[in-house]
Amino acid sequence: MNIGTSGISGQNTASATLTDLNDRLKLAKAQKAQAQKTAADTLNEMPKKTRDDARARAKAKVMQLVERLKIIKELGKSDPKIMAKMLANLMKELKAAVKDYAKAGGNDMDVSGFSAAQSTASQPVPDSDAETESTAETETTEAAEEAAVSDDTDSVTEDTAAEATPTTETDAPGEANAPYIPTPADIKGAAEAYVKTERQRAEGELMEVNDFMKQVRGLVKVVKDLFETAKIKLAFQKVDKDTVEAFKSSGKDMEEIDKVLQDLNKGLDDERAVYGPRAAIYA
């Protein structure tokens, strides 16, 4: 009797150990899957983070130049030659910052995906009442057909009928494991949520780029005005070669900056057209 009890106890212990091992294995697999997903998400975010970091450095540089310009204006009041040379150096640094911003890459927007979602969101959901009526008509027709052939099924035995009739226990697992099929309303709702989120993000990114371009153009305008002031003051003075070069190089730098900004702006035209009238404001 004791031997039998010991055998059962041993089987229970082995079963418990096996269950514990299975649970640990499932946990390890889940943790590995989560780690892989996290790593994949990180890799996907790297290009965006690299772009954002490069843009942030360029914007910080422009802000530094705005502050430096205030100092140059004060120093240049007494010596337009010095001001011209300092402005020339400032323009070179501004040109480099603008190019770095543009090279960082465009906005993180899936225009084709947004257009597809927008099309789905605009589609009307099928009338549920019409579907219900159609279903009811089908069920009525099927019931009539079953009644018409009921005489032919009288010869079927009760045992055969019992075997053919699925039990609740048999149906339950199948229902539990049945895959979820989204309804047209579910699909439309998901598309609407995606469109709303993407439009808000797109408008935010477009506004950011627009603010940067506006700030750069404003800075260039101030520098251009200061050069005009310096030119007037130097009209009746002997100008050295370096000062002349400062005027020439600054003019070329201004043209290059304007070209980069124009290209950057054109690259956003498709996004403005897709994301709607509010996005078009940031043109």
Side-chain angles (χ1 to χ4, degrees):
M1 190 70 176
N2 290 336
I3 294 175
T5 304
S6 299
I8 294 173
S9 177
Q11 290 177 356
N12 290 339
T13 302
S15 177
T17 303
L18 183 59
T19 300
D20 182 57
L21 287 174
N22 285 334
D23 290 342
R24 291 185 180 183
L25 182 60
K26 289 179 181 178
L27 178 61
K29 286 182 178 179
Q31 291 175 338
K32 182 179 179 181
Q34 182 59 41
Q36 289 175 338
K37 182 179 182 302
T38 302
D41 291 342
T42 301
L43 287 173
N44 291 334
E45 287 293 321
M46 281 182 66
K48 183 178 184 300
K49 185 178 185 306
T50 302
R51 182 206 67 186
D52 291 346
D53 289 346
R55 284 184 172 184
R57 288 193 296 271
K59 289 191 290 185
K61 182 62 177 180
V62 172
M63 290 301 299
Q64 291 177 8
L65 296 178
V66 169
E67 295 302 315
R68 190 194 304 175
L69 185 59
K70 296 176 183 178
I71 299 173
I72 294 175
K73 287 173 70 174
E74 292 299 319
L75 294 176
K77 288 180 179 179
S78 57
D79 194 336
K81 294 180 183 178
I82 293 179
M83 183 174 70
K85 293 171 185 176
M86 294 179 71
L87 289 175
N89 291 331
L90 184 144
M91 288 305 301
K92 292 186 184 303
E93 293 183 47
L94 179 61
K95 180 178 69 175
V98 172
K99 286 186 174 181
D100 287 343
Y101 188 94
K103 284 190 296 184
N107 289 339
D108 186 24
M109 302 178 189
D110 183 5
V111 174
S112 59
F114 179 87
S115 298
Q118 195 173 35
S119 176
T120 301
S122 64
Q123 297 298 321
V125 177
D127 188 355
S128 59
D129 293 336
E131 289 184 356
T132 302
E133 291 176 2
S134 177
T135 303
E137 291 176 1
T138 302
E139 291 176 352
T140 302
T141 304
E142 290 177 353
E145 292 175 353
E146 289 177 1
V149 298
S150 60
D151 293 338
D152 295 335
T153 61
D154 289 342
S155 61
V156 180
T157 63
E158 293 182 0
D159 291 340
T160 304
E163 291 177 1
T165 304
T167 63
T168 302
E169 292 181 357
T170 304
D171 291 344
E175 292 176 2
N177 295 328
Y180 168 71
I181 301 177
T183 65
D186 292 336
I187 297 173
K188 180 180 176 65
E192 288 175 344
Y194 175 82
V195 167
K196 180 179 179 181
T197 301
E198 282 299 294
R199 177 174 281 122
Q200 290 175 344
R201 185 170 65 84
E203 289 172 357
E205 292 194 2
L206 287 169
M207 181 174 63
E208 177 190 334
V209 178
N210 182 73
D211 289 345
F212 176 79
M213 293 191 295
K214 186 182 295 185
Q215 186 176 38
V216 171
R217 287 191 171 114
L219 184 56
V220 171
K221 185 179 184 306
V222 173
V223 171
K224 188 179 293 186
D225 290 343
L226 289 175
F227 266 114
E228 289 299 321
T229 301
K231 188 183 295 185
I232 294 172
K233 290 182 177 180
L234 293 171
F236 302 102
Q237 298 183 28
K238 184 177 180 180
V239 181
D240 60 275
K241 186 177 180 180
D242 291 340
T243 303
V244 174
E245 182 59 31
F247 276 91
K248 288 183 179 179
S249 65
S250 295
K252 292 179 181 178
D253 290 337
M254 289 179 188
E255 291 177 358
E256 285 191 50
I257 290 172
D258 185 61
K259 177 67 167 57
V260 173
L261 293 181
Q262 285 184 20
D263 292 342
L264 185 61
N265 191 52
K266 287 179 181 178
L268 302 176
D269 284 345
D270 290 340
E271 294 168 11
R272 294 191 187 99
V274 170
Y275 288 98
R278 277 184 57 83
I281 295 173
Y282 310 113

